[in-house]
Amino acid sequence: MTPSLTSPVKCGVRICGGPFSPHLASYRAKLEGLGYTPARVLYYLRLFAKLDLWLLRRKQRLWWFNEKKVDGFLERLRAKHPSVCRGAPSALRVLLTLLRDIGVVAPKRESVATSPAERLANQYRVYLRERRGLERATIYDYSRHVDRFLAEQFGSRPVNLRALGVFDIGEFVRRHAPRHGRGWAAQMVTGLRSFFRFAQLRGIIKSDLAALVPSVPSWEMSGPPKHLATEAVQRVLSACKRSTLKGKRDYAILLLLARLGLRAGEIVALQLDDIDWANGELVVRSKKGDGWASLPLPVDVGRALERYLMVRPPSPYRNVFVRGYAPYTPFVASGPISVLVRKVIERAGVKSARTGAHIFRHSLATEMLRRGASLAEIGRLLRHRDLDSTAIYAKVDLEALRELALLWPGGAR
């Protein structure tokens, strides 16, 4: 006899008593905690009931429920009810995470390395995470270039790094660098050098292959950094619609960028516990996980944060900033921060050669220099570890540089 949805539940959804049924209440609480509306919660619970029936009919154990089974269920559901699947992948990801967290579903298996190159690249990722303490985004940025390099050099064959020479490494960089921007190319050579140092540390190679990685030409020191004038920064801030929840959030983000020079990744990582209201300070954590700094919290920034937090959607996460719609989860990367900056700059009608989040960091440093701040003071606020990173702002103060310029031999011309 085919099972049917006969068991009534208070939430308005009937379930068939399949493997998921004991976890209906937990799933509902999870959805509500992530900020879904009551109508959306009910919609997802009905999807939950369909999935429960689907597994019951196939007599499958809950322990082996995984992403592959989710895809199979959605494929069959789309064939019969295309409109029902709207939002389904997101809802079922939440369910799968919940079931894994409480231990009733097998942990997610990492992809199995099938070649020596993949195994070595995975060892490098473990090293970056456990020994270097790098964040997930940084590990991805470095290792993706290493994956490509090893795949092109060795394919499925055994990896022999000792056979590599300056031509192999240089040719790889020359082949890929022109296809992307300077920042991408610089990240590529940094990742390769990091990997070769790892290989030397592990005794895989004895020679310093990192020294054979060519440098990417940089013209950062050839001119002043791109920045916005003070009036333009104010126009951008004024373009934020602070009457809405999203507007309050975006305004607080923009003020952190403009007043304190935070990086987009530092905005993403900011936690509720990092705000010290009593002492008026803000803890800023390094994206690379290797340090933190305590900065004074300006009054206008504190007020913007307070106004946002008063209407911030309820979320189980401790991140200060969450998405503007359910599920109210944190940003997982810095990209959305730069996107919202670009949109506000366009809305303000400000013309700028750069529209990412970093433009405010450059603008802050430039304005500080014009007001008489020293390069050391700017470096401390921006948390530069390399003095050369701060030195580029000296080019902005052209009047001061003219005083240092040597006279032209034979007189001025």
Side-chain angles (χ1 to χ4, degrees), residues 49-115:
K50 291 179 183 295
L51 178 60
D52 191 46
L53 177 61
W54 185 76
L55 285 181
L56 181 63
R57 284 172 172 168
R58 283 156 183 75
K59 299 179 180 180
Q60 295 186 5
R61 293 179 55 196
L62 183 57
W63 177 255
W64 301 116
F65 183 64
N66 54 30
E67 286 79 6
K68 187 174 181 180
K69 288 185 171 58
V70 167
D71 292 340
F73 167 72
L74 290 176
E75 185 178 351
R76 293 181 65 87
L77 192 62
R78 288 189 185 100
K80 294 182 178 180
H81 311 286
S83 62
V84 174
C85 288
R86 189 173 302 166
S90 175
L92 296 183
R93 281 196 300 270
V94 172
L95 174 61
L96 195 50
T97 300
L98 168 68
L99 297 176
R100 282 184 173 137
D101 287 344
I102 62 179
V104 297
V105 165
K108 185 177 181 180
R109 291 184 178 181
E110 299 292 338
S111 57
V112 178
T114 58
S115 70

